[in-house]
Amino acid sequence: MNNFVYNIPTKVYFGENQLHNLGTELKKFGTKVLMTYGGGSIKRIGLYDKVMKEVKNAGLELFELGGIEPNPKISSVRDGVRICKENNIDVLLAVGGGSTIDCTKFIAAGAKVEHDAWDFMDLSKRSKINEALPIVDILTLSATGSEMDSGGVISNPETNDKIGRLDENLFPKVSFLDPTNTFTVSKYQTACGSADMISHILEVYFNMNEDMEMLDSFMEGMLRTIIKYTPIAIAEPENYKARAELMWTSSWAINGFINGGKRLAWSCHPMEHELSAYYDITHGLGLAILTPRWMEYCLSEKTVSKYVQFATNVFGIDANQEPMAIARQGIEALASFLFDTLGLKRTLQEVGIDESKFAIMAEKAVHGDTLQGFVPLKKEDVENIYRMCR
Ligand code: NZQ
Ligand code: ZN
């Protein structure tokens, strides 16, 4: 096993009625606050007014950036950077889903440099992030784990790029995770959020090196939790228990804990980011379509044991069968969960994606060479997987 560093520096307030701590937490970083949010859901659910009240009671000066898009665009990052620089902002308050929090992370970094924020993402530049403004967030959608990780993904429609980046300066300082703030998340976004969490876990679980039994068990437990509680959250949007289980799982699926010392490279995420970059589809939906096909493509005599573990421990598939049969039933069970139980669309065609860009998307997904994931994938492999999703 490899050595590893575990460091998740985000303080979490989990549960209902914790927002009275917001002012105290923000004041630790200064008095000028830039609040960021998306297309308006926080106003519809009454959260905007609650935040206003807390910020005003704390005597803080508030600035706002609304309208951050799903698959956040670099233009929103630039808008936020400008507001920070013009007003000497001390701390950022992101209120929303992963898109708002991701955008805020790069506003926080961009506020500290003179160059354009896209230089952080641009693969030919990858400008260093030496510091960032502190970020506090209030999460409203369980999915990406941005509330407790150091990553973010930004899109540039001019170049059809959607690029992710991790940096330890980007961890939120404080996250407010109140499951009631997710009661209004639609059935569709709830399903997509769970598909995203599942993928975050499977990207780590399906690796052939240095498995730690304890971490595998933890991942299987999280997968069973998502499988149990997502249909409940969809049927009963205000079921606190279901929303809470999903919320805490979203954070732990990607905060680094499950990595242990594994040497990791993800596979479905780079393939999905190209779909979102070219077609602006919902991240979790793209992952749902890709994941079972990727699993099918990577199944072989060499990899089958991991599938058997997955199928039996996550879906309870009968272990008294040939390994290949067990593996295939595990993949089918996952596909059935995503497409039949959660009701997500099962093909690229159904979401308006044809073959015309498969080659360019595959090329960009492998960054010109190979995706070094569970099974190394060349450009041709990625194209084959896209084709399986037609
Ligand atoms: O924009 P508003 O009006 O807020 O509406 C949003 C949006 O339309 C809505 N919504 C959010 N909370 C709601 C709500 N509607 C009703 N009630 C609420 N409580 O949901 C829609 C989707 O929101 P968005 O923030 O885009 O979703 P998500 O949290 O899934 O974020 C997706 C983005 O995160 C990136 C994805 O690529 C994508 O760009 N990712 C970030 C990661 C990270 N930081 O580590 C990892 C992930 O793998 C992922 O790549
Ligand atoms: Zn994801």
Side-chain angles (χ1 to χ4, degrees), residues 192 195-197 199-200 203 268-273 275 281-292 338:
C192 289
D196 192 18
M197 293 178 217
S199 176
H200 295 161
E203 297 270 25
C268 288
H269 273 67
M271 291 192 270
E272 195 295 312
H273 284 165
L275 300 179
I281 64 166
T282 306
H283 174 62
L285 175 62
L287 290 170
I289 295 171
L290 285 165
T291 302
L338 294 167

mmCIF file of all heavy atoms in Angstrom, residues 192 195-197 199-200 203 268-273 275 281-292 338:
data_model
loop_
_atom_site.group_PDB
_atom_site.id
_atom_site.type_symbol
_atom_site.label_atom_id
_atom_site.label_comp_id
_atom_site.label_asym_id
_atom_site.label_seq_id
_atom_site.Cartn_x
_atom_site.Cartn_y
_atom_site.Cartn_z
ATOM 1 N N CYS A 192 -29.978 12.982 -11.335
ATOM 2 C CA CYS A 192 -28.656 13.301 -11.904
ATOM 3 C C CYS A 192 -27.606 13.432 -10.791
ATOM 4 O O CYS A 192 -26.461 13.000 -10.951
ATOM 5 C CB CYS A 192 -28.713 14.608 -12.698
ATOM 6 S SG CYS A 192 -29.633 14.457 -14.241
ATOM 7 N N ALA A 195 -26.590 10.020 -9.765
ATOM 8 C CA ALA A 195 -25.739 9.392 -10.785
ATOM 9 C C ALA A 195 -24.316 9.939 -10.681
ATOM 10 O O ALA A 195 -23.329 9.196 -10.860
ATOM 11 C CB ALA A 195 -26.312 9.658 -12.176
ATOM 12 N N ASP A 196 -24.204 11.213 -10.377
ATOM 13 C CA ASP A 196 -22.880 11.827 -10.220
ATOM 14 C C ASP A 196 -22.141 11.200 -9.025
ATOM 15 O O ASP A 196 -20.980 10.805 -9.122
ATOM 16 C CB ASP A 196 -23.049 13.347 -10.041
ATOM 17 C CG ASP A 196 -21.738 14.111 -10.148
ATOM 18 O OD1 ASP A 196 -20.758 13.559 -10.687
ATOM 19 O OD2 ASP A 196 -21.701 15.280 -9.714
ATOM 20 N N MET A 197 -22.851 11.095 -7.910
ATOM 21 C CA MET A 197 -22.213 10.489 -6.710
ATOM 22 C C MET A 197 -21.760 9.061 -6.997
ATOM 23 O O MET A 197 -20.672 8.647 -6.606
ATOM 24 C CB MET A 197 -23.222 10.395 -5.552
ATOM 25 C CG MET A 197 -23.673 11.684 -4.984
ATOM 26 S SD MET A 197 -24.885 11.271 -3.685
ATOM 27 C CE MET A 197 -26.024 12.598 -3.916
ATOM 28 N N SER A 199 -20.923 7.778 -9.766
ATOM 29 C CA SER A 199 -19.720 7.801 -10.611
ATOM 30 C C SER A 199 -18.486 8.183 -9.796
ATOM 31 O O SER A 199 -17.416 7.592 -9.976
ATOM 32 C CB SER A 199 -19.916 8.775 -11.780
ATOM 33 O OG SER A 199 -18.733 8.862 -12.517
ATOM 34 N N HIS A 200 -18.626 9.162 -8.903
ATOM 35 C CA HIS A 200 -17.459 9.543 -8.089
ATOM 36 C C HIS A 200 -16.921 8.334 -7.323
ATOM 37 O O HIS A 200 -15.713 8.164 -7.170
ATOM 38 C CB HIS A 200 -17.826 10.662 -7.114
ATOM 39 C CG HIS A 200 -18.185 11.945 -7.795
ATOM 40 N ND1 HIS A 200 -18.885 12.953 -7.192
ATOM 41 C CD2 HIS A 200 -17.947 12.374 -9.066
ATOM 42 C CE1 HIS A 200 -19.059 13.946 -8.047
ATOM 43 N NE2 HIS A 200 -18.509 13.610 -9.193
ATOM 44 N N GLU A 203 -15.417 5.602 -9.926
ATOM 45 C CA GLU A 203 -14.124 5.998 -10.519
ATOM 46 C C GLU A 203 -12.968 5.561 -9.600
ATOM 47 O O GLU A 203 -11.855 5.322 -10.069
ATOM 48 C CB GLU A 203 -14.059 7.530 -10.700
ATOM 49 C CG GLU A 203 -15.082 8.114 -11.662
ATOM 50 C CD GLU A 203 -14.605 8.199 -13.112
ATOM 51 O OE1 GLU A 203 -13.724 7.417 -13.498
ATOM 52 O OE2 GLU A 203 -15.137 9.048 -13.846
ATOM 53 N N CYS A 268 -14.692 7.993 -16.600
ATOM 54 C CA CYS A 268 -15.976 8.493 -17.104
ATOM 55 C C CYS A 268 -16.051 10.015 -17.057
ATOM 56 O O CYS A 268 -16.674 10.628 -17.927
ATOM 57 C CB CYS A 268 -17.127 7.894 -16.300
ATOM 58 S SG CYS A 268 -17.376 6.155 -16.671
ATOM 59 N N HIS A 269 -15.436 10.623 -16.046
ATOM 60 C CA HIS A 269 -15.526 12.077 -15.943
ATOM 61 C C HIS A 269 -14.883 12.806 -17.133
ATOM 62 O O HIS A 269 -15.513 13.703 -17.704
ATOM 63 C CB HIS A 269 -14.986 12.565 -14.595
ATOM 64 C CG HIS A 269 -16.041 12.558 -13.530
ATOM 65 N ND1 HIS A 269 -16.591 11.394 -13.060
ATOM 66 C CD2 HIS A 269 -16.692 13.573 -12.906
ATOM 67 C CE1 HIS A 269 -17.526 11.695 -12.169
ATOM 68 N NE2 HIS A 269 -17.610 13.012 -12.053
ATOM 69 N N PRO A 270 -13.671 12.439 -17.522
ATOM 70 C CA PRO A 270 -13.125 13.112 -18.718
ATOM 71 C C PRO A 270 -13.998 12.891 -19.950
ATOM 72 O O PRO A 270 -14.179 13.807 -20.767
ATOM 73 C CB PRO A 270 -11.753 12.445 -18.912
ATOM 74 C CG PRO A 270 -11.413 11.856 -17.588
ATOM 75 C CD PRO A 270 -12.698 11.537 -16.906
ATOM 76 N N MET A 271 -14.577 11.698 -20.078
ATOM 77 C CA MET A 271 -15.447 11.444 -21.245
ATOM 78 C C MET A 271 -16.713 12.301 -21.147
ATOM 79 O O MET A 271 -17.196 12.841 -22.134
ATOM 80 C CB MET A 271 -15.828 9.961 -21.314
ATOM 81 C CG MET A 271 -14.668 9.057 -21.654
ATOM 82 S SD MET A 271 -15.225 7.387 -22.050
ATOM 83 C CE MET A 271 -15.185 6.591 -20.462
ATOM 84 N N GLU A 272 -17.261 12.413 -19.934
ATOM 85 C CA GLU A 272 -18.499 13.195 -19.760
ATOM 86 C C GLU A 272 -18.248 14.681 -19.942
ATOM 87 O O GLU A 272 -19.071 15.386 -20.525
ATOM 88 C CB GLU A 272 -19.110 12.948 -18.371
ATOM 89 C CG GLU A 272 -20.556 13.431 -18.258
ATOM 90 C CD GLU A 272 -20.753 14.930 -18.390
ATOM 91 O OE1 GLU A 272 -20.025 15.715 -17.733
ATOM 92 O OE2 GLU A 272 -21.633 15.348 -19.172
ATOM 93 N N HIS A 273 -17.135 15.181 -19.452
ATOM 94 C CA HIS A 273 -16.904 16.629 -19.555
ATOM 95 C C HIS A 273 -16.902 17.083 -21.016
ATOM 96 O O HIS A 273 -17.309 18.200 -21.323
ATOM 97 C CB HIS A 273 -15.605 17.019 -18.833
ATOM 98 C CG HIS A 273 -15.770 17.024 -17.340
ATOM 99 N ND1 HIS A 273 -14.710 17.052 -16.472
ATOM 100 C CD2 HIS A 273 -16.871 16.998 -16.556
ATOM 101 C CE1 HIS A 273 -15.162 17.048 -15.217
ATOM 102 N NE2 HIS A 273 -16.474 17.010 -15.255
ATOM 103 N N LEU A 275 -18.864 15.738 -23.322
ATOM 104 C CA LEU A 275 -20.289 15.821 -23.694
ATOM 105 C C LEU A 275 -20.888 17.146 -23.226
ATOM 106 O O LEU A 275 -21.603 17.826 -23.964
ATOM 107 C CB LEU A 275 -21.086 14.657 -23.076
ATOM 108 C CG LEU A 275 -20.695 13.225 -23.450
ATOM 109 C CD1 LEU A 275 -21.582 12.231 -22.716
ATOM 110 C CD2 LEU A 275 -20.811 13.009 -24.961
ATOM 111 N N ILE A 281 -24.983 19.411 -21.648
ATOM 112 C CA ILE A 281 -25.955 18.546 -20.952
ATOM 113 C C ILE A 281 -25.616 18.495 -19.455
ATOM 114 O O ILE A 281 -24.529 18.863 -19.034
ATOM 115 C CB ILE A 281 -25.976 17.103 -21.520
ATOM 116 C CG1 ILE A 281 -24.623 16.393 -21.310
ATOM 117 C CG2 ILE A 281 -26.392 17.103 -22.985
ATOM 118 C CD1 ILE A 281 -24.698 14.897 -21.531
ATOM 119 N N THR A 282 -26.567 18.013 -18.669
ATOM 120 C CA THR A 282 -26.342 17.896 -17.223
ATOM 121 C C THR A 282 -25.287 16.823 -16.965
ATOM 122 O O THR A 282 -25.387 15.705 -17.486
ATOM 123 C CB THR A 282 -27.671 17.527 -16.516
ATOM 124 O OG1 THR A 282 -28.658 18.490 -16.894
ATOM 125 C CG2 THR A 282 -27.513 17.538 -15.003
ATOM 126 N N HIS A 283 -24.320 17.196 -16.133
ATOM 127 C CA HIS A 283 -23.182 16.319 -15.845
ATOM 128 C C HIS A 283 -23.615 14.910 -15.414
ATOM 129 O O HIS A 283 -23.149 13.900 -15.954
ATOM 130 C CB HIS A 283 -22.355 17.003 -14.749
ATOM 131 C CG HIS A 283 -21.226 16.223 -14.217
ATOM 132 N ND1 HIS A 283 -20.163 15.805 -14.993
ATOM 133 C CD2 HIS A 283 -20.969 15.765 -12.953
ATOM 134 C CE1 HIS A 283 -19.303 15.139 -14.235
ATOM 135 N NE2 HIS A 283 -19.765 15.098 -13.001
ATOM 136 N N GLY A 284 -24.524 14.819 -14.459
ATOM 137 C CA GLY A 284 -24.926 13.507 -13.929
ATOM 138 C C GLY A 284 -25.627 12.649 -14.974
ATOM 139 O O GLY A 284 -25.500 11.422 -14.974
ATOM 140 N N LEU A 285 -26.350 13.299 -15.878
ATOM 141 C CA LEU A 285 -27.031 12.561 -16.943
ATOM 142 C C LEU A 285 -26.000 11.933 -17.886
ATOM 143 O O LEU A 285 -26.095 10.750 -18.243
ATOM 144 C CB LEU A 285 -27.969 13.493 -17.713
ATOM 145 C CG LEU A 285 -28.666 12.901 -18.934
ATOM 146 C CD1 LEU A 285 -29.567 11.735 -18.532
ATOM 147 C CD2 LEU A 285 -29.478 13.975 -19.666
ATOM 148 N N GLY A 286 -25.012 12.712 -18.273
ATOM 149 C CA GLY A 286 -23.952 12.187 -19.132
ATOM 150 C C GLY A 286 -23.247 11.001 -18.479
ATOM 151 O O GLY A 286 -22.964 9.979 -19.123
ATOM 152 N N LEU A 287 -23.001 11.123 -17.188
ATOM 153 C CA LEU A 287 -22.327 10.026 -16.467
ATOM 154 C C LEU A 287 -23.204 8.776 -16.417
ATOM 155 O O LEU A 287 -22.712 7.649 -16.534
ATOM 156 C CB LEU A 287 -21.989 10.463 -15.037
ATOM 157 C CG LEU A 287 -20.891 11.517 -14.904
ATOM 158 C CD1 LEU A 287 -20.833 12.038 -13.480
ATOM 159 C CD2 LEU A 287 -19.531 10.956 -15.326
ATOM 160 N N ALA A 288 -24.518 8.988 -16.232
ATOM 161 C CA ALA A 288 -25.422 7.832 -16.167
ATOM 162 C C ALA A 288 -25.389 7.058 -17.478
ATOM 163 O O ALA A 288 -25.370 5.823 -17.493
ATOM 164 C CB ALA A 288 -26.848 8.309 -15.858
ATOM 165 N N ILE A 289 -25.371 7.795 -18.587
ATOM 166 C CA ILE A 289 -25.367 7.124 -19.896
ATOM 167 C C ILE A 289 -24.037 6.400 -20.116
ATOM 168 O O ILE A 289 -23.993 5.265 -20.615
ATOM 169 C CB ILE A 289 -25.642 8.161 -21.023
ATOM 170 C CG1 ILE A 289 -27.057 8.740 -20.877
ATOM 171 C CG2 ILE A 289 -25.446 7.532 -22.397
ATOM 172 C CD1 ILE A 289 -27.360 9.927 -21.786
ATOM 173 N N LEU A 290 -22.947 7.027 -19.711
ATOM 174 C CA LEU A 290 -21.620 6.456 -19.984
ATOM 175 C C LEU A 290 -21.240 5.287 -19.068
ATOM 176 O O LEU A 290 -20.621 4.304 -19.522
ATOM 177 C CB LEU A 290 -20.543 7.540 -19.802
ATOM 178 C CG LEU A 290 -20.410 8.591 -20.896
ATOM 179 C CD1 LEU A 290 -19.587 9.785 -20.390
ATOM 180 C CD2 LEU A 290 -19.729 7.986 -22.133
ATOM 181 N N THR A 291 -21.583 5.385 -17.799
ATOM 182 C CA THR A 291 -20.972 4.474 -16.817
ATOM 183 C C THR A 291 -21.221 2.987 -17.093
ATOM 184 O O THR A 291 -20.260 2.201 -17.120
ATOM 185 C CB THR A 291 -21.403 4.871 -15.380
ATOM 186 O OG1 THR A 291 -20.992 6.220 -15.170
ATOM 187 C CG2 THR A 291 -20.752 3.986 -14.333
ATOM 188 N N PRO A 292 -22.469 2.553 -17.326
ATOM 189 C CA PRO A 292 -22.650 1.110 -17.560
ATOM 190 C C PRO A 292 -21.921 0.632 -18.820
ATOM 191 O O PRO A 292 -21.410 -0.485 -18.860
ATOM 192 C CB PRO A 292 -24.164 0.958 -17.721
ATOM 193 C CG PRO A 292 -24.764 2.204 -17.181
ATOM 194 C CD PRO A 292 -23.750 3.276 -17.337
ATOM 195 N N LEU A 338 -30.315 3.172 -12.863
ATOM 196 C CA LEU A 338 -30.196 4.522 -13.432
ATOM 197 C C LEU A 338 -31.333 4.838 -14.396
ATOM 198 O O LEU A 338 -31.914 5.929 -14.361
ATOM 199 C CB LEU A 338 -28.848 4.660 -14.170
ATOM 200 C CG LEU A 338 -27.599 4.600 -13.290
ATOM 201 C CD1 LEU A 338 -26.342 4.425 -14.148
ATOM 202 C CD2 LEU A 338 -27.469 5.855 -12.419
#
